[in-house]
Amino acid sequence: MPVPLRRAGESANVMAKITIDGNTREVADGTLILEAAMEQGIDIPTFCYMARLAPLASCRMCLVEIEGQGKLQPSCATTVADGMVVRTDTPLVAETRKSMLELLLANHPLDCPVCDKSGECELQDQVFEYGAGEARFQDQKRVFYSKDIDLNPVIIFNAQRCIQCQRCVRICEEVVGAVALGTVEKGMDTKVTGFENSLAGCDHCGNCIEVCPVGALMSTPYRYKARPWDLKETDTICPYCGTGCHLSISVRDGQLSRVRSKYETGVNGETLCVKGRFGIDFIDGDNRLRTPLVRKEGGLTAVSWEEAAAFIAERADGAIEKGGSGLGGLASPRLNNESLYLFQKLMRTAFRTNSIDSSSRWSAAGPGAYQSLEGLFGGLYARRSLHQVLEADCILILGATVTDETPVTEYMVRGVARSRGTKLFIASARPSRLDSEAISSLRFVPGAEAYLLSALLNGIEGAEKTFANMGALKKSLLKAAKTPPPEFGEFLEKARTALGAAESVTLLIGADLLRSPGAAAALSMVHGLGRVLDALGKRAEVQFLFDRPNQMGAWELGVLPGLLPGWRPVGDAAVRAPFEEAWGASLPADSGADFRRMLERSEAGKMDVLYVAGSDPLLSYPDGGLVESALSKARLLIVQDAFMTGTARLADVVLPAATFAEEPGTFTNNEGKVQELRPIRRPAFESKPNAEIFALVAEALGRDLGPVSPDAVFAEIAHLVPSYRGLSRDGLGDDGSYTRPFAEENGGDLDDPPLAAPRRTKGLELVTGDSMFHSGYLSGNSPVLGNLSAKAYVEMNPDAAAGLELADGSGVVVRSSHGEMKARLKLNKRFPAGVVFVPDNFADARLNRLLKHGEYPCPVEVQRE
Amino acid sequence: MFEKVLLKNAEKPDAHGIEAYEAAGGYQALAKVLREFSPDGLIQLVKDSNLKGRGGAGFPTGLKWGFVPKDSDKPKYLCCNADESEPGTFKDRVIMEGDPHMMLEGMALASYAIGAEVAYLYIRGEYVLCIERLETALDEAYRKGYLGRDILGSGFNLDIHMHLGAGAYICGEETAMLESIEGRRGEPKLKPPFPAVAGLYECPTVINNVETLACLPHIVNRGVEWFRGIGPEQSPGPKLYCLSGHVQKPGVYELPMGISLRELVDDHAGGARPGRKIKAVIPGGVSAPMIPESGLDVTMDFESLTAIDTMLGSAGVIVLDDGDCIVRAAKNINEFFHEESCGKCTPCREGLDWTGKILHRMEAGEGRQGDLEQLDFLCGSIFGNSFCALGDGAAWALKAAITQFRDEFVQHVEEGRCPFH
Amino acid sequence: MALKNSIEEAAKRYPNPRSAIMPALFLAQKEHGFLSGDLLKEVAGILDVPEIWVYEVSTFYGMFHTEPVGKFHIKICTNLSCQLLEAESMLAHLEKKLAIETGGTTPDGMFTLSSVECLGACEGAPMMQVNDGYYHMNLTTARIDEILDGLRKEAAE
């Protein structure tokens, strides 16, 4: 629920007595009259007002009478004063609303029959409620263009309909920060538009369309498709990143029509990013798998579900009998909680292996990494609303390019930085728009995160005294980073001061940190940071900014080698007991292999069964050559997915799965909040919900996976997993429910991680991840997103490019010691000289051929093609 | 004969250089204030003088200066509003062309009073000669040490920067001007916060008109008693009146505040054209409701004109005689406001377009039954509901024209033509 | 680059770069005659501000031209005092002499004719301004013809 972020300066303790329409109440000082009226259930019409935006008071619809004031006053911009008497129900106010509407209608084209907004148009609604019954204006209406303008492939604009509320311009500047829309000309010629009448360079987030009260800014994919009353709308959660935005997906006659966001709903309110708003059409992508496939003489052949299941049983039985390390499974953090839970249950009870992993970035699977995570998720991790977590004095973002990876989170960080004066610090490899809101930004290549955190801690006033209580961590804290490298310079100084002065600190960690070879050490140090700040009497909170929707779910539900659901080690018999009882099976006690080791075994010809669900390691896992070779050598490669991916093409069995929009379930987002997914339609073609497929496979293997209905599975999770205890699916509510910390605050022993100092490299270093338009292979299947960003690119600093005699847009080859790829060059003056970025989603670019497991960033050369 | 104060040097040719200014006693006021007055002392002096702003609003200058918070550690700014764009007004132009140093000295005094070390001179870009003269004057003032660091050894620093307006009447509105200096569209801002508390770059800012600032050196040099002795109690001081339109001797006239409009037009500016009688006079720029001939005995000061539901405003006096069509004049004025509207708020943006279309048809002989009633409705919807004074002014002026000369409007509609052309 | 230097110089007068957009546009327009899209982009790049901010300002203020203008831009005030003093006749005279409509440019690119709002010279009505020159006040049709001749001569040199 978005909190009005504007009124930072108000003291909520001071009250003012205000009388509105005869009703006297006390409201917090600084409240707007409009909001006080809304709280009282009094409806005041507005166009230009939006809670999230600074007041504009330009539409003049909200004018009210205030006793003692000669003129009517805009209630959206006037704060209450003690003793104020307001009337919203007088003839003058009614007359004025009528007049304003009549003025707006004077030049507004009578387009309702052909306007997409008809039926959900705020102008229609207000004219109906408050307007005159006839239009007296009988002159020529002003016309800007005879045809609507394509501002970009997803936004189309009818300038005549615009009522100049400026919500679009303001949301683009104040919330999204893109500053792509503006207002040109003046007076009656005033028009909102992009530079040179184009929005070719904007984020394409479509928030401007969402907030437009009339049919001026419209969605091109939705244009002329439907009337609002034809649509069946379903509320669900976005499958792209861990912010967990609420989506309202509309379907007409079974066809996806559009995706909207809703005011005051979900963590995102009325905002979304381009992926959530326009990228859901991936569910109808060309690559959807239609039937089960089995590899026969002629290649992958369509078969029935029964045949596919039998095929699996036949090939897998022997391996399961044999036992040992020849079995393994990889699941995607895009799968819902119920599917992930059943997957690890399937692997453990039917395939009898603990070799389970989720494609959660590469280096988190280092020794000890998961133990660090347990401590983190036990008590330090803030399982509460991001809005509240952002209300800290100081926010430190580490290893995340928030603008691209979790855009809606970025809007919220921008909000607090601007309205609360929050001290924001960002340390990341790539620059982003959020840098301009920060006190200091450090261009920081992954590897030395623990070192950076330690250096920060060492410089906070009073911190050193607390080190004595930090257990093993004390050693590295005391020895490290007394004289930090000059690269950290000003950032360190400013951050130390701010952290020292702050009463509350929030640390947000991104996916790039998890790719880093120093991830395990970094996570230990995060734990240490939390402890030290806590000891200094500060409130310290941590949240991840995952770039996948259910990473929290995947980790907490045991999609990890060696850990059962709830972070408990599989080797402990007491830990296994309740699961063995609930599942009716004895569980293997060895800790199992992570995906790296599964690949190694497979490459050595020792992998009998490899089950990949929802993931495409051929695309994204580093060491593409090894991945391809290893997957090919697996004796039975089962791939379960909605799409024919590169990995699926290597499979022996392909099982077509439903997309997130076609199966019920839940996601657990970055806030640790469980939110319900609701299907918008039945699974396409012959695909089945993931849970049902796991049940089918289990049955073929002669095991009963137990009840697989979403309610039953959730109940089982709530019973067995401490952080889900007490939750129920029907108790989730519209806003979801928070999981809970399962250990004492910051409990557990801290270990002493190795601190790697920042390396100084001469050449270029490649980093990867999501881009604004793409996130893994999912977005590539969206026709709209695929059109907006069709080809791989290499992003680089212009001076560095000039030094290599490379021009913007030119074709280049990027080479590492492992492999090479081709792409076109994209210059970005804010990029640091030594870093290049290639998004990881373009299959034909084969980026992962350049990358080596355990090495990140990847040293590369860039040359003309 | 009223002894000129503000136009004393300006009326002499080539008296705009610093030598002439100094020879006539220029920059003595600044020296005196830096030696003998604290900033608060100067504020009190100006409060005592009862000087009212000559830009149009008539707000007491000393009082405005006093609103600047003393305990703020933000930089303070003085802005001189030299965006003179109110039709019928050209007094600031005459001052800046003829006596630029007088205004600069005023700016320095005002800056000292409010603690500003940076002042912006917002001057309309079309005033080319003024700009040239001011560039020279600034140069001269810096060279002689009246501007810059440690002025006259006092420790007071002041930099004055010129910021050119680029053709937007609305930037004469103080918050729109601040937006313009900040590089934005000149759209007025919400008040509160008021500029004195959060103005330019969210810092305490005072905006003063050219003529207001020009009065300051004289108040310092000759004292409060002298200033208050000119004109009426509540609006004292010398005043520049701009006469134009159908009057024999258009030009700038410096006379005491409070002179009667009839005396101003007939005795000083030569009265109506030969063979013509005065029909109406606009007293303070086109935002000010016109006064019919019968009302010309009103005195030209803030209070008296407000009392008859018009205003002194910018003292841009435009004379219409019995050969002039009021509808045509109203159309011209309306077109001006419509053209210059920033477009932000509904009533001004949409309302003035509608009134403009009606007035256009009326004057062209295509007026319809109901048009006049629509004009009444539109004036009523715009006035009091606009975001700033532009919409209000346009509606106020149009309403007055219709009120005073409704017959002419009716005639245009009924006869289907303009009787004057 | 001369333009870059002069813009950076102007920007020093303000605490943030956005404030320098108006002076930058004056400088750019002076050098190039009008403000093309590329020129607006260049200004935005020099000041490091979003392009749309520069675009907004270039269209809001009447003195900035985003389309080419004739060598001599003749601006006649047609506001009230000037209208009373026959400004429209002066305008009509110019339209006839230049054979263009108000708002247009002569085919040889020499003259653009505009009607503008009050230039603050009402005591000298009717009046006009050519480019960024001093005002020509108290116009008559004869005076206008003289001025046009003078401009044509100036162009020939």
Side-chain angles (χ1 to χ4, degrees):
Chain A
M1 183 106 174
V3 174
L5 297 172
R6 265 179 296 100
R7 305 191 312 268
E10 72 180 290
S11 47
N13 296 323
V14 179
M15 304 299 273
K17 206 181 292 203
I18 179 167
T19 307
I20 308 180
D21 295 347
N23 243 309
T24 307
R25 282 170 66 234
E26 283 213 324
V27 299
D29 196 45
T31 306
L32 296 168
I33 296 176
L34 178 70
E35 286 164 353
M38 273 160 54
E39 284 168 21
Q40 244 176 264
I42 294 173
D43 205 24
I44 297 181
T46 60
F47 287 119
C48 63
Y49 168 79
M50 260 182 67
R52 213 195 267 244
L53 301 173
L56 191 63
S58 63
C59 73
R60 314 312 275 178
M61 285 302 296
C62 72
L63 296 176
V64 295
E65 281 191 39
I66 301 181
E67 208 174 83
Q69 304 222 20
K71 293 192 333 177
L72 298 179
Q73 298 298 329
S75 54
C76 72
T78 312
T79 49
V80 306
D82 195 34
M84 205 181 238
V85 177
V86 177
R87 293 224 74 102
T88 77
D89 54 357
T90 64
L92 177 59
V93 170
E95 195 58 45
T96 306
R97 290 172 183 172
K98 207 155 132 195
S99 303
M100 294 304 120
L101 287 167
E102 189 170 2
L103 289 171
L104 284 174
L105 287 175
N107 279 295
H108 190 83
L110 209 54
D111 276 357
C112 301
V114 297
C115 174
D116 276 346
K117 198 77 177 179
S118 190
E120 52 188 16
C121 169
E122 292 181 46
L123 184 61
Q124 275 182 344
D125 291 345
Q126 290 200 30
V127 170
F128 185 75
E129 190 74 35
Y130 302 105
E134 60 162 319
R136 289 179 282 182
F137 182 80
Q138 301 276 322
D139 284 286
Q140 282 275 62
K141 291 180 187 273
R142 64 107 172 79
V143 173
F144 287 105
Y145 305 106
S146 50
K147 281 175 76 76
D148 296 350
I149 314 175
D150 289 303
L151 289 173
N152 65 34
V154 294
I155 304 175
I156 187 163
F157 180 48
N158 179 309
Q160 283 77 244
R161 295 178 192 158
C162 175
I163 59 170
Q164 300 302 334
C165 70
Q166 304 286 323
R167 284 188 198 164
C168 55
V169 173
R170 290 144 70 207
I171 203 162
C172 189
E173 162 148 17
E174 294 175 34
V175 175
V176 177
V179 199
L181 275 168
T183 312
V184 298
E185 304 291 343
K186 66 180 195 278
M188 207 52 196
D189 297 330
T190 308
K191 193 175 56 153
V192 300
T193 186
F195 182 68
E196 290 190 301
N197 277 322
S198 161
L199 288 178
C202 80
D203 288 5
H204 297 63
C205 64
N207 286 320
C208 54
I209 296 169
E210 189 65 56
V211 300
C212 180
V214 296
L217 285 166
M218 298 169 283
S219 155
T220 311
Y222 175 61
R223 187 164 166 75
Y224 296 152
K225 285 252 176 76
R227 285 301 186 195
W229 53 83
D230 284 339
L231 298 171
K232 177 165 165 283
E233 200 169 72
T234 307
D235 292 333
T236 188
I237 303 299
C238 184
Y240 275 108
C241 82
T243 305
C245 294
H246 166 271
L247 301 179
S248 290
I249 306 185
S250 295
V251 163
R252 182 187 183 203
D253 295 337
Q255 293 289 88
L256 172 67
S257 278
R258 67 172 179 185
V259 174
R260 288 199 309 154
S261 39
K262 281 186 180 161
Y263 291 97
E264 300 188 353
T265 304
V267 65
N268 53 312
E270 66 278 14
T271 57
L272 280 174
C273 75
V274 61
K275 296 175 197 125
R277 195 181 295 288
F278 293 115
I280 303 302
D281 61 344
F282 73 81
I283 64 176
D284 292 319
D286 289 336
N287 271 340
R288 274 307 287 273
L289 289 164
R290 295 171 180 237
T291 71
L293 302 167
V294 150
R295 188 167 297 279
K296 294 184 177 173
E297 282 295 321
L300 285 171
T301 316
V303 297
S304 67
W305 278 102
E306 291 71 35
E307 194 178 332
F311 186 91
I312 292 172
E314 192 207 343
R315 294 280 196 94
D317 269 336
I320 295 171
E321 286 278 326
K322 199 168 79 184
S325 55
L327 303 116
L330 176 73
S332 165
R334 288 203 199 276
L335 294 175
N336 61 43
N337 284 322
E338 293 74 5
S339 303
L340 288 169
Y341 176 81
L342 288 172
F343 178 74
Q344 59 84 36
K345 186 177 179 184
L346 175 75
M347 296 307 298
R348 293 191 156 110
T349 61
F351 288 94
R352 308 212 22 83
T353 177
N354 283 317
S355 295
I356 308 167
D357 206 351
S358 70
S359 43
S360 57
R361 302 296 166 272
W362 324 317
S363 296
Y370 294 120
Q371 275 65 39
S372 313
L373 284 172
E374 180 194 352
L376 193 59
F377 284 99
L380 180 59
Y381 200 90
R383 294 174 196 257
R384 63 191 201 115
S385 111
L386 180 59
H387 287 281
Q388 291 171 326
V389 163
L390 290 177
E391 284 177 358
D393 295 333
C394 181
I395 298 176
L396 172 60
I397 297 178
L398 184 56
T401 308
V402 191
T403 309
D404 288 1
E405 294 160 357
T406 49
V408 173
T409 298
E410 195 241 26
Y411 306 158
M412 293 163 64
V413 176
R414 172 171 297 102
V416 294
R418 289 190 182 185
S419 70
R420 299 182 94 250
T422 305
K423 309 251 184 302
L424 176 65
F425 294 90
I426 303 174
S428 65
R430 288 192 271 154
S432 80
R433 230 186 269 137
L434 201 54
D435 294 332
S436 58
E437 312 294 337
I439 305 281
S440 182
S441 281
L442 179 65
R443 287 290 78 83
F444 179 81
V445 159
E449 294 85 354
Y451 196 93
L452 175 64
L453 290 172
S454 169
L456 277 172
L457 283 173
N458 269 279
I460 297 174
E461 205 180 314
E464 205 171 320
K465 283 184 259 155
T466 69
F467 292 173
N469 297 326
M470 295 300 141
L473 192 64
K474 171 173 97 181
K475 267 195 285 183
S476 38
L477 280 173
L478 286 176
K479 78 170 182 248
K482 288 284 189 192
T483 44
E487 293 93 329
F488 290 177
E490 179 194 80
F491 175 87
L492 206 56
E493 199 186 300
K494 291 188 170 164
R496 281 167 166 175
T497 310
L499 287 168
E503 283 180 8
S504 50
V505 177
T506 291
L507 175 63
L508 300 172
I509 310 174
D512 227 20
L513 183 145
L514 296 173
R515 291 190 186 93
S516 166
L523 293 169
S524 290
M525 197 53 76
V526 166
H527 210 166
L529 180 93
R531 288 272 192 88
V532 169
L533 293 176
D534 190 54
L536 287 171
K538 301 176 194 295
R539 186 190 79 205
E541 296 191 292
V542 175
Q543 280 190 351
F544 268 101
L545 298 178
F546 291 122
D547 54 355
R548 295 292 181 266
N550 205 18
Q551 191 66 73
M552 283 287 278
W555 283 353
E556 296 217 296
L557 297 177
V559 187
L560 290 167
L563 291 174
L564 279 164
W567 301 102
R568 283 163 301 180
V570 84
D572 184 342
V575 165
R576 289 198 308 276
F579 290 97
E580 288 174 332
E581 189 188 322
W583 295 349
S586 74
L587 299 178
D590 63 301
S591 59
D594 60 28
F595 190 62
R596 177 70 195 171
R597 264 169 284 285
M598 289 185 227
L599 284 177
E600 285 167 0
R601 280 184 200 155
S602 195
E603 178 66 3
K606 298 204 174 111
M607 193 53 99
D608 295 316
V609 181
L610 190 54
Y611 198 147
V612 177
S615 191
D616 185 9
L618 186 66
L619 170 71
S620 57
Y621 203 83
D623 224 335
L626 171 67
V627 173
E628 183 167 8
S629 172
L631 291 178
S632 308
K633 290 182 181 157
R635 291 213 181 81
L636 174 64
L637 177 63
I638 308 168
V639 174
Q640 178 171 326
D641 210 302
F643 296 95
M644 177 59 88
T645 62
T647 303
R649 278 197 196 89
L650 299 173
D652 298 299
V653 185
V654 180
L655 304 172
T659 62
F660 87 107
E662 297 160 335
E663 58 179 7
T666 56
F667 279 155
T668 306
N669 74 351
N670 293 340
E671 297 168 310
K673 186 166 75 179
V674 183
Q675 301 186 103
E676 190 175 349
L677 297 161
R678 297 185 188 85
I680 69 168
R681 67 183 186 196
R682 290 143 70 98
F685 310 115
E686 289 178 45
S687 68
K688 288 181 190 287
N690 284 283
E692 281 179 34
I693 302 176
F694 295 140
L696 203 127
V697 171
E699 195 188 18
L701 294 172
R703 279 220 51 95
D704 178 9
L705 200 55
V708 296
S709 75
D711 284 338
V713 176
F714 196 88
E716 198 175 309
I717 293 171
H719 176 61
L720 289 169
V721 184
S723 50
Y724 287 73
R725 203 148 284 158
L727 299 179
S728 68
R729 262 194 91 223
D730 38 1
L732 289 176
D734 286 332
D735 290 331
S737 292
Y738 290 96
T739 53
R740 40 212 87 205
F742 53 85
E744 62 185 69
E745 284 299 319
N746 294 344
D749 291 327
L750 293 173
D751 53 344
D752 180 25
L755 294 184
R759 310 172 292 146
R760 255 155 252 184
T761 52
K762 282 231 175 85
L764 298 171
E765 300 194 273
L766 182 141
V767 295
T768 186
D770 284 355
S771 63
M772 174 66 70
F773 297 104
H774 283 298
S775 174
Y777 73 83
L778 210 64
S779 57
N781 282 296
S782 153
V784 170
L785 294 178
N787 178 38
L788 292 178
S789 178
K791 292 217 166 295
Y793 58 88
V794 181
E795 201 167 356
M796 193 168 171
N797 171 284
D799 292 332
L804 297 167
E805 292 178 4
L806 298 169
D808 200 14
S810 54
V812 295
V813 177
V814 183
R815 221 173 258 119
S816 77
S817 58
H818 259 58
E820 62 177 55
M821 58 164 276
K822 293 199 179 119
R824 56 177 178 77
L825 191 62
K826 178 171 151 182
L827 296 183
N828 179 337
K829 66 182 175 188
R830 303 204 197 279
F831 250 64
V835 173
V836 302
F837 168 78
V838 176
D840 71 359
N841 64 290
F842 292 103
D844 53 356
R846 310 201 319 168
L847 169 67
N848 67 340
R849 302 248 156 193
L850 278 73
L851 306 169
K852 200 165 82 171
H853 178 84
E855 178 186 69
Y856 186 76
C858 174
V860 294
E861 276 178 7
V862 178
Q863 286 168 355
R864 196 170 319 159
E865 191 179 338
Chain B
M1 252 306 357
F2 177 68
E3 190 207 327
K4 303 275 170 66
V5 177
L6 300 172
L7 293 184
K8 186 155 169 215
N9 290 335
E11 285 187 337
K12 300 184 191 141
D14 299 318
H16 48 270
I18 196 165
E19 286 78 22
Y21 188 64
E22 280 176 320
Y27 290 111
Q28 297 289 333
L30 180 60
K32 179 177 179 186
V33 159
L34 292 176
R35 267 194 326 266
E36 299 169 20
F37 284 78
S38 66
D40 279 349
L42 181 56
I43 293 177
Q44 192 55 50
L45 182 81
V46 173
K47 273 185 179 164
D48 291 343
S49 75
N50 219 1
L51 169 67
K52 294 220 165 112
R54 270 91 162 109
F59 195 84
T61 306
L63 195 59
K64 190 194 273 192
W65 288 359
F67 291 147
V68 173
K70 305 270 187 290
D71 53 357
S72 165
D73 54 2
K74 289 183 172 177
K76 321 286 183 298
Y77 291 101
L78 175 78
C79 292
C80 170
N81 188 343
D83 192 47
E84 185 172 65
S85 308
E86 184 73 40
T89 319
F90 39 93
K91 59 186 176 68
D92 296 341
R93 193 202 90 229
V94 167
I95 290 176
M96 290 188 284
E97 281 175 2
D99 204 351
H101 283 286
M102 179 173 65
M103 186 192 74
L104 292 180
E105 188 176 9
M107 284 183 76
L109 291 168
S111 301
Y112 178 75
I114 65 169
E117 295 200 340
V118 175
Y120 288 98
L121 168 52
Y122 191 99
I123 179 167
R124 62 180 299 183
E126 299 92 335
Y127 272 3
V128 171
L129 182 55
C130 297
I131 292 167
E132 256 178 43
R133 299 243 166 116
L134 280 162
E135 276 171 354
T136 305
L138 280 168
D139 215 38
E140 291 174 329
Y142 270 97
R143 270 193 285 110
K144 289 247 175 164
Y146 296 121
L147 292 174
R149 310 270 102 204
D150 193 24
I151 295 171
L152 302 178
S154 66
F156 172 56
N157 307 321
L158 178 62
D159 275 322
I160 297 181
H161 302 300
M162 268 208 291
H163 182 100
L164 265 54
Y169 162 78
I170 186 63
C171 289
E173 198 277 346
E174 62 177 14
T175 59
M177 173 191 296
L178 299 179
E179 290 285 87
S180 186
I181 296 174
E182 293 192 27
R184 298 195 172 95
R185 295 164 55 83
E187 290 181 6
K189 294 198 289 187
L190 279 169
K191 294 189 281 207
F194 289 87
V197 172
L200 193 59
Y201 310 117
E202 302 297 311
C203 296
T205 306
V206 164
I207 298 107
N208 283 139
N209 168 262
V210 171
E211 188 187 347
T212 311
L213 293 165
C215 288
L216 295 173
H218 303 288
I219 294 174
V220 169
N221 284 327
R222 298 167 74 163
V224 161
E225 295 303 314
W226 160 81
F227 189 79
R228 290 182 74 144
I230 304 171
E233 173 80 43
Q234 287 151 298
S235 306
K239 185 76 191 75
L240 298 182
Y241 302 97
C242 309
L243 274 286
S244 68
H246 278 145
V247 75
Q248 295 257 35
K249 296 191 286 176
V252 183
Y253 291 88
E254 183 176 358
L255 293 160
M257 273 281 217
I259 187 174
S260 94
L261 182 53
R262 192 182 298 283
E263 194 186 322
L264 176 61
V265 172
D266 282 345
D267 298 352
H268 292 274
R273 293 183 284 173
R276 289 284 176 205
K277 282 169 15 139
I278 293 178
K279 186 193 270 189
V281 178
I282 296 171
V286 300
S287 317
M290 55 178 67
I291 300 171
E293 194 279 338
S294 57
L296 291 188
D297 294 307
V298 68
T299 51
M300 295 292 278
D301 57 75
F302 293 110
E303 294 70 30
S304 305
L305 288 162
T306 303
I308 60 163
D309 198 25
T310 181
M311 64 171 181
L312 179 60
S314 64
V317 180
I318 306 176
V319 178
L320 296 140
D321 65 28
D322 56 355
D324 297 321
C325 172
I326 295 296
V327 174
R328 187 171 185 241
K331 169 176 168 267
N332 184 298
I333 295 170
N334 188 263
E335 261 168 25
F336 166 71
F337 286 118
H338 176 231
E339 179 67 34
E340 296 294 334
S341 165
C342 74
K344 178 169 167 165
C345 76
T346 304
C348 176
R349 182 186 70 246
E350 307 286 341
L352 295 181
D353 181 70
W354 194 339
T355 53
K357 284 169 177 163
I358 294 175
L359 289 166
H360 178 84
R361 279 190 294 100
M362 267 189 188
E363 179 62 12
E366 291 157 21
R368 303 184 205 123
Q369 287 305 319
D371 271 348
L372 198 47
E373 287 69 34
Q374 280 185 22
L375 285 179
D376 292 334
F377 152 70
L378 288 164
C379 288
S381 323
I382 300 167
F383 189 77
N385 295 328
S386 300
F387 190 93
C388 81
L390 190 154
D392 282 351
W396 198 25
L398 178 57
K399 180 151 188 267
I402 296 174
T403 305
Q404 305 292 354
F405 298 98
R406 197 175 185 89
D407 291 342
E408 276 192 43
F409 288 84
V410 170
Q411 195 182 7
H412 274 70
V413 175
E414 289 189 346
E415 291 182 21
R417 65 182 190 94
C418 171
F420 293 87
H421 302 104
Chain C
M1 267 215 68
L3 183 61
K4 182 167 192 282
N5 291 338
S6 56
I7 290 177
E8 284 172 351
E9 198 55 42
K12 289 183 187 158
R13 305 199 290 260
Y14 308 94
N16 73 39
R18 188 175 191 177
S19 294
I21 292 177
M22 284 177 78
L25 290 178
F26 272 121
L27 290 164
Q29 185 166 276
K30 191 159 180 164
E31 191 175 298
H32 293 263
F34 76 103
L35 300 167
S36 65
D38 284 340
L39 193 50
L40 294 176
K41 264 197 201 132
E42 194 184 325
V43 169
I46 293 170
L47 292 172
D48 197 21
V49 295
E51 288 165 353
I52 191 67
W53 287 356
V54 179
Y55 191 49
E56 287 181 325
V57 170
S58 74
T59 58
F60 181 85
Y61 295 93
M63 286 179 74
F64 295 134
H65 304 294
T66 51
E67 297 287 307
V69 178
K71 188 171 165 61
F72 299 110
H73 188 183
I74 301 177
K75 297 168 258 193
I76 291 248
C77 172
T78 50
N79 210 302
L80 185 59
S81 299
C82 285
Q83 187 199 49
L84 291 170
L85 276 281
E86 303 304 324
E88 281 169 6
S89 310
M90 300 299 123
L91 191 60
H93 180 78
L94 275 161
E95 282 184 330
K96 190 153 140 245
K97 269 278 141 117
L98 299 174
I100 53 175
E101 292 200 349
T102 303
T105 302
T106 54
D108 61 1
M110 188 79 74
F111 296 103
T112 295
L113 178 64
S114 298
S115 119
V116 295
E117 297 299 341
C118 182
L119 286 173
C122 322
E123 82 274 36
M127 55 78 63
M128 72 186 198
Q129 184 182 32
V130 180
N131 293 345
D132 290 332
Y134 301 143
Y135 291 165
H136 298 284
M137 297 173 36
N138 299 306
L139 293 174
T140 58
T141 50
R143 192 68 198 95
I144 287 177
D145 290 344
E146 254 178 58
I147 294 167
L148 285 179
D149 286 339
L151 293 174
R152 286 199 183 90
K153 211 186 278 176
E154 191 190 312
E157 282 152 12

